[in-house]
Amino acid sequence: MEEESQFTLSVNPSRGLMDEKFVILVQNAPPGSELTVHALHQCDDGHGWDAFAHYISDATGRVNVSEDCSLGGTYSGIEPMGLLWSLRPVPGSKPGLRLRKKNVQEPMLVTVSVYEGHRKEGFADLVPLASALVERWYMAPGVRRIPVTEGGLTATLFLPPGLGPFPAVLDLWGGGGQLVEYRAALLASQGLAALAIDYLTAKIIKETGKMTTFKYFETAYRYLEEHPQILGSRIAMLGLSFGTSVTLRMAVYSKVMKVTVEDHHLKQVCDYPSFFRPTRNVANTRITEENHVILRDLSLPITTDPLKKVDVGRLQCPLMLVVGEDDQNTAAQESANDMKEMMERAGNSHLLTVLSYPDTGHLIEPPYTPHVRASNFKPVNLNEILMILWGGQTAAHSRAQEDSWKKILLFLRVNLFGGIRPAAVPLSHL
């Protein structure tokens, strides 16, 4: 093969938002060369993640990852962003890892390299023909990150660049607790203020020993409503997993909150007076041969008792449900169908939008987030770590993440801006 110095590898843009596509281009290779394009990332926890794909250079000595077909690797076919969404823990890593950005004020750094031949392993011992460093950001320049403790909250507010006022999103994650900021930061980078809140492991819970109630979420809502840079009449709630239970209950029953609701991975059955008392039949838990825990059967069959679920027939705001049809953690599809029937009977089904994706699991995250079919998870009400099976097939799940994110943003813009696109800050243009 020709001298290494003739090879070039470029990534454009080399600095961009997490939901922004890039183009990887290899040039000056001998025509018809077998090449491996490889991505390597070290996450905030120090674990290594990598992905790779096999290509053959064309008659001009080029490989364009956005246009050319991968012949094998961690993905195959024409997949412009495959080197991100197919990232997996490097061989030898401990089992059950999940890639989540903890420090959104620093970029996700990915080294993209090209190697001679169709390689499958041993990348750490090889010298690349060419490499490029890529920055992927959740926070665009000018986005402000503001810790919030008012009213006993454990939260972080992200404000877009400019004076505002901005519509806002109240961002709730699931049953693992903690303050998870990366989705809220990305929403702010798209022109929407966003408040990420911890409602299961918040400081006030540790101090009082009592779980949060309606009042905690209403305090978060009022904080947004009264903020001088927030349009108090334009607030939405975004819930994932257990967060959907909260968003639905607050949207239906709270006398304070008037919101638009966008829910991921529906968890519809809420047959408890407080949010956090366990309600499922543990006997319905299944364990796979790989010792992965399947929880989707715990809420089946869907109850017919109207007193044991949220009365979505009373809902008066637009609602979007994002459903993974291979969700192994929650009976998402069955719950969504039940909610649709309830709303049709009540005459408010015109408020409902359902996005349903085949071969898609529970953890539908922002675009190009690596898919994990199973990972370690510690529910806040247990003292043990479980290996939870979330479901999904990598390629289909990743396409669902990309498609649903676009439609979530459109849903929020239509209902909070009247369809007018807010100003986003593309890093590549700086």
Side-chain angles (χ1 to χ4, degrees):
M1 190 168 280
E2 300 296 323
E3 292 294 325
E4 292 180 12
S5 60
Q6 293 190 15
F7 280 83
T8 62
L9 184 149
S10 62
V11 183
N12 186 32
S14 61
R15 185 172 185 252
L17 290 175
M18 275 299 301
D19 58 357
E20 184 178 3
K21 286 187 176 182
F22 53 42
V23 176
I24 300 173
L25 186 63
V26 178
Q27 299 183 89
N28 300 326
S33 298
E34 292 186 349
L35 300 171
T36 299
V37 183
H38 177 260
L40 178 65
H41 167 65
Q42 187 175 47
C43 69
D44 293 347
D45 291 329
H47 300 293
W49 292 69
D50 78 343
F52 66 94
H54 297 155
Y55 293 93
I56 296 178
S57 60
D58 65 15
T60 68
R62 289 164 40 111
V63 170
N64 186 332
V65 172
S66 295
E67 299 176 354
D68 297 340
C69 183
S70 166
L71 303 178
T74 52
Y75 67 91
S76 59
I78 301 174
E79 298 288 355
M81 302 302 292
L83 285 171
L84 284 189
W85 56 249
S86 71
L87 284 167
R88 79 280 160 81
V90 297
S93 298
K94 70 177 185 178
L97 297 178
R98 177 182 172 193
L99 183 56
R100 308 186 81 186
K101 194 77 175 78
K102 293 186 176 180
N103 181 6
V104 297
Q105 297 181 95
E106 297 292 335
M108 174 183 178
L109 297 175
V110 181
T111 301
V112 179
S113 303
V114 59
Y115 294 89
E116 178 183 355
H118 283 170
R119 309 285 185 172
K120 295 182 179 181
E121 58 188 2
F123 293 100
D125 300 322
L126 299 174
V127 177
L129 300 168
S131 297
L133 184 64
V134 182
E135 294 184 10
R136 306 290 290 177
W137 289 83
Y138 287 95
M139 279 182 67
V143 170
R144 289 154 288 171
R145 178 185 177 275
I146 305 168
V148 177
T149 57
E150 286 87 333
L153 294 173
T154 298
T156 305
L157 175 65
F158 291 89
L159 290 173
L163 298 176
F166 309 100
V169 179
L170 190 58
D171 189 15
L172 280 69
W173 286 79
Q178 308 304 318
L179 184 57
V180 183
E181 298 183 348
Y182 56 88
R183 186 171 60 191
L186 194 56
L187 286 168
S189 298
Q190 293 292 342
L192 293 156
L195 182 69
I197 67 170
D198 178 0
Y199 60 96
L200 290 174
T201 53
K203 183 178 179 181
I204 193 171
I205 297 174
K206 298 173 183 177
E207 291 176 346
T208 65
K210 298 179 181 179
M211 296 305 294
T212 50
T213 63
F214 262 45
K215 183 180 178 181
Y216 186 82
F217 302 98
E218 290 175 342
T219 298
Y221 177 85
R222 283 197 174 101
Y223 172 82
L224 288 175
E225 190 178 41
E226 296 171 0
H227 195 285
Q229 290 182 273
I230 301 295
L231 284 168
S233 62
R234 304 282 183 92
I235 299 174
M237 292 185 74
L238 173 58
L240 179 144
S241 191
F242 189 76
T244 65
S245 297
V246 178
T247 57
L248 288 172
R249 287 177 66 84
M250 298 307 297
V252 171
Y253 299 122
S254 174
K255 296 180 180 179
V256 172
M257 302 172 73
K258 299 176 181 178
V259 297
T260 294
V261 183
E262 195 286 317
D263 278 338
H264 279 215
H265 335 313
L266 185 65
K267 196 179 279 187
Q268 184 233 3
V269 178
C270 302
D271 58 349
Y272 39 87
S274 61
F275 289 123
F276 308 112
R277 188 187 310 156
T279 64
R280 292 166 158 182
N281 181 2
V282 178
N284 286 347
T285 302
R286 287 186 283 148
I287 309 294
T288 70
E289 293 181 357
E290 296 82 12
N291 206 33
H292 296 165
V293 180
I294 298 175
L295 299 177
R296 74 176 311 278
D297 297 339
L298 297 184
S299 53
L300 291 175
I302 301 296
T303 182
T304 57
D305 186 347
L307 298 179
K308 291 185 177 181
K309 50 189 175 183
V310 177
D311 184 6
V312 291
R314 293 172 51 179
L315 200 66
Q316 298 180 25
C317 67
L319 169 66
M320 172 179 278
L321 304 178
V322 182
V323 177
E325 295 178 14
D326 187 39
D327 190 333
Q328 298 299 310
N329 185 67
T330 300
Q333 195 168 17
E334 294 88 343
S335 294
N337 292 338
D338 186 61
M339 286 188 61
K340 182 179 179 181
E341 292 174 4
M342 291 174 65
M343 294 180 72
E344 286 174 347
R345 289 195 299 269
N348 64 343
S349 61
H350 62 284
L351 296 172
L352 176 64
T353 301
V354 180
L355 306 179
S356 189
Y357 296 98
D359 296 323
T360 299
H362 185 72
L363 300 176
I364 305 175
E365 300 219 56
Y368 320 128
T369 301
H371 167 249
V372 290
R373 184 167 172 81
S375 72
N376 295 323
F377 180 73
K378 184 183 181 301
V380 294
N381 59 340
L382 293 179
N383 290 322
E384 62 177 314
I385 296 175
L386 306 175
M387 180 74 80
I388 298 293
L389 183 63
W390 306 111
Q393 301 300 318
T394 298
H397 186 97
S398 300
R399 293 188 190 101
Q401 290 188 150
E402 183 176 357
D403 184 75
S404 63
W405 182 251
K406 294 175 183 176
K407 291 175 180 176
I408 288 166
L409 292 178
L410 179 61
F411 175 82
L412 292 171
R413 287 164 182 157
V414 167
N415 290 288
L416 298 180
F417 285 90
I420 300 174
R421 182 184 178 89
V425 183
L427 286 162
S428 56
H429 293 172
L430 295 182

